[in-house]
Amino acid sequence: MNDIEQIVSEASKKIKNADNLTLNNLKTEYLGKSGVLTQILKSLSQYSIEDKKRIGSQANKAKSIIESEIENRKDSLKKILLDEKMRNERLDYFPSFYFPFPKGSFHPVVETIRGISAVFKSLGFLVAQGPELETDWYNFEALNIPKNHPAKDLQDTFYIEGMKNLLRTHTSSVQIHVMEKHKPPVKVIVPGRVYRNEASDASHSSTFYQIEGLAVDENVTFVDLKVTLTEFIHRFFGYKLNVRFRPSHFQFTEPSAEVDMQCPFCRGKGCKICKNSGWIETLGCGMVHPNVFKAVDYDYEKYTGYAFGIGVERITMLKYGIDDIRLLYENDLRFLKQF
Ligand code: DAH
């Protein structure tokens, strides 16, 4: 009896830490044809009937205990090996040196577009979009820019497919798309990318962003234009800044104006950024030219409207005090991380 108990506890100890090969050997050693327990069962004939029964049942019990311990150990070995395999073969998408995971942020130009859009949305404007690849009609003709106008020069415009198409030089082209599709009242802003065939320097880039604005209805006046743009500048830059409207010229507006705001850096005292004038040119605007309404079949006797165009990079540079437009396109993370 004691022998059998001892055999079981000895076997258990060995099984506990055995690998697969050892397990097979242990199986033979204890349960095989000439195994320890098999030997005991074979030798039962020498005992009395009572002892036969007792020892026999003990030995059989021991056999099944050892058998199941071996099977359990085999199962857990399988699991251990699988775990290890999973650990070694796992694709580590996030190596530990990436933690804490870097937080992204909006590009300052995107941030500005969102900020400007939010102000105009609060003033009742909807956001519209239009194509970057345009025809002469949308970019020039319909906007009252005649055939021989200098803006159409090859030097300023990227023409594509032998003058048939072009990359829009301003977002004003979307005014035409919007008015073709919608009857007045119309009140939209259009943020978008535009292209100019020109060399880049600290304040010019051949690809840049504009936000166009257009409001058309009965009885829209220059006062609406002044109030809206003044309110925009105040909400976006700060209420204490003065705003002024200067006469200007654009083909698609009459009268036309340029809007200056008091330099936010020196508060009008004069500094390097405003070239000592105290003023900063912010955007172009005007009352929609009747010829533009004619082009989209709007009744120019019934409706009036105003339009404006904002240079996004310029506003971004003013807002964040950036002095070179090229910084906005280099995608240097050390620069972008500051926003
Ligand atoms: N399209 C002009 C430009 O690219 C900007 C502009 C000026 C847009 C006056 C307007 C406007 O809608 O009324 O320089």
Side-chain angles (χ1 to χ4, degrees):
M1 275 290 282
N2 282 340
D3 279 357
I4 293 178
E5 269 172 24
Q6 212 178 324
I7 288 167
V8 172
S9 85
E10 199 184 275
S12 295
K13 251 186 234 161
K14 288 183 192 162
I15 291 167
K16 221 170 153 188
N17 296 310
D19 59 17
N20 271 317
L21 188 66
T22 316
L23 283 176
N24 285 339
N25 291 338
L26 288 172
K27 200 168 176 177
T28 319
E29 185 183 333
Y30 288 96
L31 313 170
K33 273 190 191 131
S34 46
V36 184
L37 287 165
T38 321
Q39 289 303 324
I40 291 174
L41 287 167
K42 272 186 187 163
S43 65
L44 286 178
S45 54
Q46 56 179 304
Y47 298 112
S48 64
I49 293 185
E50 231 168 74
D51 284 349
K52 259 187 206 163
K53 268 192 183 166
R54 194 169 45 81
I55 296 169
S57 99
Q58 282 294 330
N60 275 326
K61 223 190 227 164
K63 236 179 130 172
S64 70
I65 289 173
I66 291 172
E67 214 166 344
S68 74
E69 278 182 2
I70 287 175
E71 285 316 307
N72 287 344
R73 175 63 185 162
K74 275 192 170 168
D75 281 350
S76 59
L77 272 179
K78 251 188 224 159
K79 228 182 130 251
I80 289 167
L81 285 175
L82 187 67
D83 281 352
E84 200 174 290
K85 210 173 158 185
M86 301 256 273
R87 223 176 307 123
N88 290 338
E89 293 178 7
R90 183 181 66 167
L91 277 180
D92 203 348
Y93 293 105
F94 301 107
S96 54
F97 56 81
Y98 275 1
F99 286 100
F101 199 73
K103 216 174 107 214
S105 60
F106 287 112
H107 189 282
V109 167
V110 174
E111 195 71 67
T112 304
I113 291 173
R114 287 164 66 95
I116 294 174
S117 302
V119 172
F120 281 108
K121 278 187 210 166
S122 75
L123 296 172
F125 286 76
L126 296 177
V127 179
Q129 284 196 312
E132 290 177 19
L133 186 63
E134 274 297 6
T135 59
D136 193 69
W137 169 255
Y138 287 99
N139 198 78
F140 296 122
E141 286 291 313
L143 287 163
N144 194 39
I145 302 171
K147 290 235 159 8
N148 55 358
H149 195 275
K152 298 181 66 171
D153 201 315
L154 267 172
Q155 301 222 305
D156 298 316
T157 308
F158 285 116
Y159 285 95
I160 286 170
E161 293 170 41
M163 312 281 279
K164 204 170 134 257
N165 293 316
L166 52 87
L167 293 175
R168 68 181 177 196
T169 60
H170 52 187
T171 44
S172 304
S173 55
V174 187
Q175 285 189 29
I176 307 302
H177 288 287
V178 169
M179 288 192 282
E180 271 180 355
K181 284 195 201 81
H182 303 279
K183 293 272 148 259
V186 160
K187 209 173 166 188
V188 293
I189 54 159
V190 185
R193 192 164 19 196
V194 301
Y195 302 85
R196 300 262 172 101
N197 191 358
E198 61 186 10
S200 57
D201 60 27
S203 52
H204 294 89
S205 162
S206 55
T207 304
F208 56 102
Y209 286 84
Q210 287 187 333
I211 296 183
E212 192 77 11
L214 175 72
V216 183
D217 201 352
E218 292 176 44
N219 303 317
V220 174
T221 69
F222 200 89
V223 174
D224 298 307
L225 169 63
K226 270 189 95 167
V227 168
T228 304
L229 293 181
T230 304
E231 188 63 19
F232 156 65
I233 289 171
H234 283 168
R235 289 194 193 185
F236 192 76
F237 286 102
Y239 281 89
K240 295 217 171 97
L241 296 175
N242 287 327
V243 176
R244 75 177 183 190
F245 287 69
R246 239 180 329 105
S248 185
H249 173 81
F250 298 103
Q251 281 295 125
F252 31 91
T253 46
E254 180 61 36
S256 304
E258 259 162 285
V259 183
D260 300 336
M261 69 172 184
Q262 203 179 37
C263 177
F265 299 102
C266 62
R267 300 267 159 182
K269 284 195 196 83
C271 66
K272 219 175 89 189
I273 290 165
C274 60
K275 295 191 184 100
N276 278 318
S277 71
W279 292 97
I280 297 218
E281 203 181 300
T282 318
L283 52 93
C285 64
M287 301 305 290
V288 179
H289 198 290
N291 285 350
V292 176
F293 284 153
K294 272 185 216 166
V296 294
D297 266 335
Y298 268 23
D299 183 347
Y300 61 90
E301 308 253 301
K302 187 172 172 195
Y303 297 109
T304 50
Y306 60 81
F308 55 88
I310 305 173
V312 175
E313 282 79 356
R314 204 178 153 67
I315 301 282
T316 306
M317 291 164 77
L318 280 176
K319 179 99 177 167
Y320 298 109
I322 298 164
D323 62 2
D324 192 324
I325 195 171
R326 289 167 292 199
L327 285 167
L328 295 173
Y329 304 117
E330 280 163 0
N331 288 330
D332 185 334
L333 287 179
R334 290 167 303 178
F335 170 76
L336 293 176
K337 261 185 195 156
Q338 301 172 60
F339 301 94

